Amino acid sequence: MRRVLLILFTFLCSPFTSPAQTLETCQQAAEQNYPLIRQYDLIGKTTDLTVANIQKGWLPQISASAQATLQSDVTAWPDEMKTMLNTMGVDVKGLKKDQYRVGIDVSQTLYDGGMISSQKAMARQQGEVEAAQTEVTIYQVRQRVNEMYFGLLLLDEQIRLNADLQEVLSASEKKLASMLKNGTAAESDYNTVRAERLNVVQQATSLNSQRQTLTRLLSTFCGLEVKVPVKPVLSAAVAQQQTEQRPELKVIDARLRLADAQEKALNAALMPRLGLFAQGFYGYPGLNMFEDMMRHQWSLNGIVGARLTWNIGALYTRKNDKAKIQLQRDLAENQRDVFLFNNSLEQTQQNEDIARYRQLAADDEEIITLRNAVRKAAESKLAHGIIDVNDLVREINAENSARVQQSLHEIQMLKEIYDLRYTTNN
């Protein structure tokens, strides 16, 4: 089933699908296409390997060794004992000063005071911190998509309005051409309107070039073809304030949990250790010292037993170590306060901007209606010779400017709403 879903997702995100894409689709595609997304899997695998290695602390620990020594003195029989043994016909050679040993040591932990468990917990929490930090970087991809996506929407509106302006100027140019033919208009008036139309055509060329560049950037960033951005519906773009979902706060929470795990490790370091051990070696001298004094021969030797150790050296630094962990907690809490404070300021600014654009948008339609009426009146006045062509061009540009401002206000308000959604992560 997972394979089928993966194939379906790949098909939907392929360049052969419909070039019309919503903002949410682009955001999701960009996050999946961003190279850092693979770091989640790498962090998970690294954490699993680290935990597995720590778990092996419960396995028997085996070490091999070999040594050769030359001593200045060795254990020897007292002279009286040596003399007595010689009189009995026993040759006592004594120990040699050069000694050799090849051995193996095996130890098995039975109780470690919770050290291995605490180390595993620390490794997992460290992995969570790294994963949360990666999530912060990937979350920032949304903001970059927002910038390009709304930039593309704004260019589309400007291109559309540029085409409308060309139609208006073209209509005026045709009227002036007819008037010039009938001798009711000067050639300079015709040339003025024509030059203005050609200037608008040049602007269209520049806008289309900018759109092509931005489209390529957004498509590359998202990993799918984006040619026709879908303008979000205003009613569906309303943001609700839920700052607690921001990934930056998840990083802080993960760091606090890591501090808790570190403190548990400090407590485990004070506990005693209990284990079994076994030692075996082949060499000279062995454990039977008297036999080795009689015969200079290598022998097999072994020891098994139980060992209880309690290292109280951790008490020396425990106070400072706990203080350092508490400072880490305080630093994390301070970072939370700073983030929430800055985030609150950002939300306030964005809400104010949204309210401002709503107020501007409320007047835009009336301004366009008035500018349209003035432009039509200017066309009539020009036909009757009341005004010159420069006045008409000025009114045409004023109407177009009003339409551009309306589109700009609408796109900017939508962008601010989505920026607020980014700020609050909802």
Side-chain angles (χ1 to χ4, degrees):
M1 185 64 181
R2 288 183 59 189
R3 187 174 183 181
V4 174
L5 292 176
L6 180 60
I7 294 174
L8 180 61
F9 177 80
T10 304
F11 175 77
L12 291 175
C13 294
S14 67
F16 303 99
T17 59
S18 173
Q21 301 293 345
T22 64
L23 176 57
E24 289 77 8
T25 301
C26 290
Q27 289 177 340
Q28 294 171 6
E31 289 179 0
Q32 294 297 323
N33 186 58
Y34 199 59
L36 192 64
I37 193 70
R38 294 191 294 271
Q39 189 162 318
Y40 278 121
D41 187 48
L42 297 176
I43 292 173
K45 289 181 178 179
T46 302
T47 301
D48 291 341
L49 291 173
T50 302
V51 172
N53 286 340
I54 295 173
Q55 181 65 27
K56 295 184 186 300
W58 288 111
L59 297 178
Q61 305 300 306
I62 303 174
S63 62
S65 63
Q67 70 177 36
T69 60
L70 179 63
Q71 301 181 190
S72 61
D73 204 354
V74 293
T75 303
W77 292 98
D79 291 338
E80 294 80 0
M81 181 68 71
K82 188 174 182 180
T83 301
M84 182 181 68
L85 291 174
N86 286 335
T87 58
M88 297 173 58
V90 179
D91 184 16
V92 180
K93 298 179 180 180
L95 293 178
K96 299 173 64 175
K97 292 185 178 180
D98 55 322
Q99 300 182 1
Y100 308 90
R101 175 178 295 192
V102 177
I104 186 169
D105 293 344
V106 180
S107 63
Q108 173 63 59
T109 300
L110 298 179
Y111 174 73
D112 69 342
M115 178 56 71
I116 292 178
S117 176
S118 62
Q119 287 177 344
K120 291 194 297 182
M122 286 174 57
R124 291 192 181 97
Q125 291 302 326
Q126 184 61 47
E128 288 187 11
V129 171
E130 294 176 4
Q133 290 173 336
T134 301
E135 185 180 353
V136 170
T137 304
I138 293 179
Y139 183 75
Q140 293 171 353
V141 169
R142 297 187 188 181
Q143 185 70 358
R144 297 173 65 179
V145 172
N146 284 358
E147 295 292 337
M148 290 185 283
Y149 194 89
F150 283 104
L152 196 56
L153 285 175
L154 185 58
L155 283 172
D156 283 346
E157 288 295 320
Q158 290 176 325
I159 291 172
R160 180 181 65 81
L161 293 174
N162 180 277
D164 293 342
L165 180 58
Q166 288 186 48
E167 290 182 6
V168 173
L169 289 172
S170 180
S172 297
E173 183 181 345
K174 291 178 180 179
K175 290 180 182 179
L176 286 170
S178 176
M179 293 172 64
L180 177 62
K181 186 176 181 179
N182 295 327
T184 58
E187 184 176 1
S188 60
D189 293 340
Y190 171 79
N191 290 336
T192 298
V193 174
R194 178 175 175 80
E196 186 66 23
R197 182 181 63 80
L198 292 176
N199 181 54
V200 174
V201 171
Q202 285 185 331
Q203 293 176 8
T205 302
S206 177
L207 290 172
N208 281 302
S209 177
Q210 294 177 40
R211 190 189 189 285
Q212 183 178 10
T213 301
L214 190 55
T215 299
R216 288 178 178 176
L217 287 174
L218 183 58
S219 298
T220 302
F221 195 74
C222 295
L224 75 164
E225 188 177 13
V226 182
K227 285 189 175 181
V228 184
V230 180
K231 186 164 67 173
V233 179
L234 186 59
S235 59
V238 178
Q240 298 181 4
Q241 301 179 6
Q242 296 177 349
T243 309
E244 292 78 7
Q245 301 298 321
R246 282 292 293 262
E248 290 87 349
L249 298 178
K250 295 180 181 179
V251 175
I252 295 173
D253 292 336
R255 287 175 177 169
L256 291 174
R257 290 193 296 270
L258 176 60
D260 294 337
Q262 290 173 335
E263 189 166 18
K264 290 181 179 178
L266 285 181
N267 297 332
L270 290 176
M271 301 300 291
R273 310 287 192 270
L274 176 63
L276 301 177
F277 71 92
Q279 297 176 346
F281 68 91
Y282 178 66
Y284 172 83
L287 297 177
N288 191 338
M289 189 71 67
F290 294 107
E291 181 70 21
D292 292 331
M293 288 181 178
M294 304 294 294
R295 295 183 299 122
H296 294 169
Q297 295 182 0
W298 287 37
S299 61
L300 288 172
N301 304 268
I303 302 174
V304 295
R307 180 184 293 121
L308 178 67
T309 59
W310 197 345
N311 183 9
I312 63 173
L315 287 172
Y316 303 152
T317 60
R318 178 177 173 79
K319 181 178 179 180
N320 289 341
D321 289 338
K322 292 195 69 172
K324 287 170 59 178
I325 293 175
Q326 185 57 46
L327 288 175
Q328 292 177 15
R329 290 195 183 98
D330 294 341
L331 178 60
E333 292 294 350
N334 179 257
Q335 290 174 342
R336 186 198 302 277
D337 293 339
V338 171
F339 176 81
L340 291 176
F341 180 79
N342 290 334
N343 190 273
S344 178
L345 290 180
E346 192 171 1
Q347 288 185 47
T348 301
Q349 180 64 53
Q350 289 168 342
N351 281 316
E352 290 296 329
D353 289 340
I354 292 172
R356 175 165 57 87
Y357 287 128
R358 287 187 187 278
Q359 183 63 41
L360 292 174
D363 299 329
D364 282 334
E365 192 62 40
E366 183 178 359
I367 293 174
I368 290 174
T369 300
L370 294 174
R371 287 295 183 186
N372 180 261
V374 171
R375 189 258 302 171
K376 290 181 177 179
E379 291 176 346
S380 176
K381 290 179 180 178
L382 178 66
H384 292 84
I386 299 176
I387 61 173
D388 60 21
V389 71
N390 291 321
D391 294 326
L392 174 62
V393 170
R394 183 173 63 252
E395 297 303 334
I396 291 175
N397 288 330
E399 181 188 1
N400 179 71
S401 177
R403 295 183 183 278
V404 170
Q405 286 298 315
Q406 182 188 41
S407 297
L408 179 62
H409 293 158
E410 183 181 4
I411 298 299
Q412 286 179 329
M413 181 169 62
L414 282 171
K415 183 179 181 300
E416 285 296 333
I417 291 175
Y418 273 88
D419 284 346
L420 180 58
R421 293 180 65 174
Y422 171 84
T423 302
T424 58
N425 191 21
N426 67 76

